[in-house]
Amino acid sequence: MTETPPPTTRARSAEPARVVVKHHPLVRLTHWVNVPVLFGLIASGLAIYWAAPVFLHPRDPVTGSRDYLVDLGAAVAHVLHDRGGDPRSWIYDHVSLGTGMLARALRLHWALAYVFMLNGALYLIGLIAGGGWRALLPRLSDVADARAMLRFYLGVVPMAIRRRPWPHPVIRSKYNALQRAAYFSMSVAGVLVILSGWAMHKPIQFGWLERLFVNYDGARIVHFVCLLVLGSFVVPHVILVIADGWDTFRSMVVGWSARLKEARHE
Amino acid sequence: MSERDPDEERAENEGMPPPRDAVNATGGGVPPARDDMPPTPGAMPSSGDATLRPEEGTSAEPPPPPPAPRPGFLAERPEVERDVPRRALAAATRRDFLLLAGGVLATAAGAWWLLPDATRARLVGMSGRDHLDSLAARVGLSRARRERTLDRALTFDDDVAEALTSPDRRVRTYARSEVTPLRNNFHGQTPGPEILAGWSLTLSGLASRRVERLPLATLLARFPLHGQVTRLVCVEGWSAVAWWGGLRFADLLAAFPPAPSARWAALRSVVSLDAYGRPEPYYVSIDLKTARHPQTLLATHHDGRPLTLAHGAPLRLVAPMKLGLKNIKALTDIAYSADEPADYWNERGYSKYDGL
């Protein structure tokens, strides 16, 4: 562009660095607080679920099980040749606090649930204060953009093997359509998990909320589905952050990115 | 919803780079700022920027296209770029990563501290757990303090619930056709029919300072029976809609008023048995506000028939605004008191409020 004399090394270190402002401090704080809190809520929640599973089938004459999670646990233990414990409680022993500790799990769950709600409120404040909420709103163009992103993700590995160029689709907003859909649905799942949690916890006081989920078991099912949605977000989220690189990870710690517009996916 | 800059759309569609002046003016920020648009706050030209800005270039170009409409309220704003002194940037980065590391350490310690003993033993083995436990106790994260902390979480939750409770709320009732099977979930054995002969309800802590013993026939003759179909919710998570019949606790309270200082009722079953069939009294605490609620019954009937032994014959509490574990079966004693009495499951780590 413009002809400027190359700066000396000394001047270069004194010259300011240009960064892109990414995440509000409250968004970063609540993001990291969410990691252990969600783990704890899932672990204690499944330990509560163990006491009275909502997804039941008629008693199996062989295993004596009525709980689909018991069946799944037994299958996993069988595949892994895990003989360490009771195969029927494999899921509860590995994904939850364990079996037979309802009182403890309930106390942990309430304590963490209040932290989660407070954290969610701080997140929303951070989203509004930093203006980040606009980047999370779904748009009409997202359908086509999401298809392009899916096509890109599916092609990354085959094209790398065939050594063919495989450019990233042009993204001109903070997030691509798939990210936006994921982050937006996380907020929705977060709100739903809190509402269905209150509907089960205080079904008389919040009778209107219980009716919103049809009945008591409706709230339990929604709560469980939210667990699956929130949990299944984590794996691709972590993989994609690792794939995207250090700058993306760092931006959630420090709040800025060194990737200027021209250096990014265009 | 998408409010992209029309210029950019065109550039993208035609496979052309964005206009040159736009790239220069914002240092590559998006969307391209024009002179007729208010500059975005983050794209404020800094000292280094101004030298790059071709002031003369804009006037020489053909007439600019009509100004883009202001972005809608919901439209995404361009990302803000900022020039930060490198030293300050490094300091802020160091600070944030140190904070993260501190948070990770605190979380690991806190998570270890809060985990149940059995879970910890499963994770690192008995001896490993004891090593880490003594380490944690050294920094003040003892088991006793953990129990106090978790108990406080429980009472905080109960205080929130009590603050939300409206005194005139009614429990949702159901049609008789919505009744579901009711299971007997009591952890002990069901007492035999011998408890029915000579059964009476003992009342103490009364304003009269007398101890009353009321046989079932007296209760049934003296108080009107009320029916209701309500949901019984267990602390474990299952629930059942059941049709109950019985006298109102409020009617008993009116006929035999408790001492003026009384705030609580201790409900006991001395005939209750443990899992091996040995006598093990069961007892719950009920606040008198709950006891006076019109939907709190001392039930004598279930499904239109006298209670079975499995469901608490001859008299049980049905307080549908409380968890099932408060709904004591085979009730034998009610003692009114000023202070909250003991509660069986509270002594085993559950809430003693149990309001729904």
Side-chain angles (χ1 to χ4, degrees), chain B residues 202-247:
Chain B
T202 306
L203 299 181
S204 59
L206 298 174
S208 64
R209 301 197 178 183
R210 290 171 46 185
V211 175
E212 301 280 352
R213 288 200 170 76
L214 306 170
L216 187 64
T218 310
L219 288 173
L220 290 173
R222 193 157 171 187
F223 299 101
L225 292 191
H226 298 268
Q228 68 187 30
V229 182
T230 49
R231 184 182 289 274
L232 184 85
V233 177
C234 180
V235 68
E236 294 175 353
W238 59 270
S239 65
V241 177
W243 173 28
W244 302 105
L247 53 131

Side-chain angles (χ1 to χ4, degrees), chain B residues 5-21:
Chain B
D5 192 278
D7 256 3
E8 280 190 48
E9 293 262 300
R10 202 178 312 128
E12 187 190 335
N13 292 343
E14 295 165 12
M16 272 165 44
R20 183 176 151 270
D21 66 318

Side-chain angles (χ1 to χ4, degrees), chain B:
Chain B
M1 295 278 283
S2 168
E3 303 282 338
R4 285 171 161 194
D5 192 278
D7 256 3
E8 280 190 48
E9 293 262 300
R10 202 178 312 128
E12 187 190 335
N13 292 343
E14 295 165 12
M16 272 165 44
R20 183 176 151 270
D21 66 318
V23 172
N24 286 344
T26 61
V30 60
R34 270 177 234 94
D35 287 347
D36 49 12
M37 256 176 77
T40 45
M44 284 287 239
S46 59
S47 54
D49 218 337
T51 56
L52 292 174
R53 198 182 175 92
E55 292 290 349
E56 69 285 359
T58 37
S59 56
E61 272 176 46
R70 285 186 68 81
F73 178 67
L74 298 176
E76 188 174 343
R77 303 293 190 263
E79 294 201 271
V80 174
E81 295 188 357
R82 219 169 253 160
D83 288 322
V84 188
R86 283 178 195 275
R87 200 176 289 254
L89 197 65
T93 305
R94 193 160 52 238
R95 182 201 61 200
D96 287 347
F97 270 98
L98 282 175
L99 278 174
L100 179 73
V104 168
L105 283 178
T107 303
W112 178 259
W113 176 54
L114 285 175
L115 275 180
D117 292 340
T119 315
R120 299 195 283 194
R122 210 177 59 229
L123 287 176
V124 293
M126 285 287 192
S127 65
R129 179 191 73 184
D130 293 346
H131 269 110
L132 283 169
D133 273 359
S134 53
L135 206 66
R138 209 170 272 203
V139 291
L141 299 176
S142 64
R143 286 182 200 194
R145 183 175 282 184
R146 172 187 75 198
E147 295 309 307
R148 280 203 303 278
T149 306
L150 288 178
D151 282 344
R152 216 173 294 143
L154 208 57
T155 46
F156 175 77
D157 179 56
D158 294 343
D159 291 344
V160 169
E162 187 60 23
L164 290 171
T165 304
S166 44
D168 57 345
R169 68 166 184 186
R170 287 293 171 271
V171 175
R172 181 177 177 183
T173 55
Y174 297 81
R176 220 172 280 165
S177 59
E178 293 175 278
V179 163
T180 60
L182 182 66
R183 72 199 239 200
N184 170 20
N185 203 49
F186 190 66
H187 60 285
Q189 289 185 12
T190 302
E194 66 278 0
I195 66 158
L196 300 179
W199 178 92
S200 66
L201 177 67
T202 306
L203 299 181
S204 59
L206 298 174
S208 64
R209 301 197 178 183
R210 290 171 46 185
V211 175
E212 301 280 352
R213 288 200 170 76
L214 306 170
L216 187 64
T218 310
L219 288 173
L220 290 173
R222 193 157 171 187
F223 299 101
L225 292 191
H226 298 268
Q228 68 187 30
V229 182
T230 49
R231 184 182 289 274
L232 184 85
V233 177
C234 180
V235 68
E236 294 175 353
W238 59 270
S239 65
V241 177
W243 173 28
W244 302 105
L247 53 131
R248 283 189 175 144
F249 203 151
D251 291 348
L252 183 78
L253 279 162
F256 300 95
S261 63
R263 294 281 173 278
W264 294 91
L267 277 66
R268 285 165 60 88
S269 170
V270 296
V271 297
S272 181
L273 304 174
D274 70 7
Y276 303 100
R278 298 173 302 206
E280 187 196 32
Y282 188 71
Y283 39 92
V284 299
S285 69
I286 291 284
D287 59 299
L288 287 190
K289 208 172 72 183
T290 299
R292 289 204 173 93
H293 192 283
Q295 286 170 301
T296 301
L297 299 184
L298 294 169
T300 54
H301 288 72
H302 169 236
D303 249 348
R305 284 184 292 276
L307 286 174
T308 59
L309 286 161
H311 288 303
L315 189 76
R316 71 171 297 173
L317 179 72
V318 171
M321 68 296 289
K322 296 285 183 187
L323 284 172
L325 51 82
K326 287 277 195 197
N327 291 237
I328 181 172
K329 292 172 175 176
L331 182 60
T332 57
D333 298 72
I334 299 177
Y336 302 109
S337 61
D339 296 318
E340 180 162 14
D343 185 275
Y344 183 91
W345 285 113
N346 179 239
E347 291 168 352
R348 286 152 182 83
Y350 291 86
S351 157
K352 58 183 169 184
Y353 177 77
D354 301 317
L356 289 172

Side-chain angles (χ1 to χ4, degrees), chain A residues 19-30:
Chain A
V19 296
V20 186
V21 179
K22 281 287 175 185
H23 309 295
H24 189 272
L26 277 178
V27 171
R28 286 180 272 144
L29 173 75
T30 54

